[in-house]
Amino acid sequence: MNLLDWAQVALSLVVLLSGLYIALFRHSGRGVLVTTRVAGFGLALLGLSYFVGGFEGPAVEGPLLTSVEAYSALTGVLVVLGRWSGRCAAGHELS
């Protein structure tokens, strides 16, 4: 693994942990909407996909890692887009 792979792994962990923090640990008393929590899970899935992508190479890459990377990215994007469409349907601004 080269320096860019390590940078990708580090950045993906930041994205993954930020998404999990938003989804699981933000208190409801601060006005965190359910749609924001759902988007946090989507962000965590995107971080997982990016994390798995950092370990690509002939020694570790296989069909399982390729599937995890692709499906977690797809699911993450769909969850985040669903969050925004849910807010638009409820009459809220995109933010």
Side-chain angles (χ1 to χ4, degrees):
M1 287 180 49
N2 61 22
L3 183 61
L4 285 177
D5 290 333
W6 286 111
Q8 179 177 345
V9 167
L11 180 65
S12 67
L13 284 175
V14 169
V15 170
L16 176 69
L17 294 175
S18 298
L20 287 176
Y21 172 76
I22 292 168
L24 299 175
F25 299 114
R26 296 272 316 252
H27 298 293
S28 296
R30 295 185 191 167
V32 178
L33 299 174
V34 172
T35 54
T36 303
R37 290 187 187 278
V38 170
F41 280 115
L43 189 64
L45 286 170
L46 288 172
L48 175 65
S49 171
Y50 200 50
F51 179 75
V52 170
F55 291 105
E56 290 180 351
V60 294
E61 190 170 351
L64 179 63
L65 281 180
T66 304
S67 297
V68 167
E69 182 180 7
Y71 289 127
S72 63
L74 177 64
T75 306
V77 167
L78 291 176
V79 167
V80 170
L81 290 176
R83 180 259 182 193
W84 278 318
S85 67
R87 289 204 37 134
C88 288
H92 298 289
E93 289 183 20
L94 289 176
S95 59

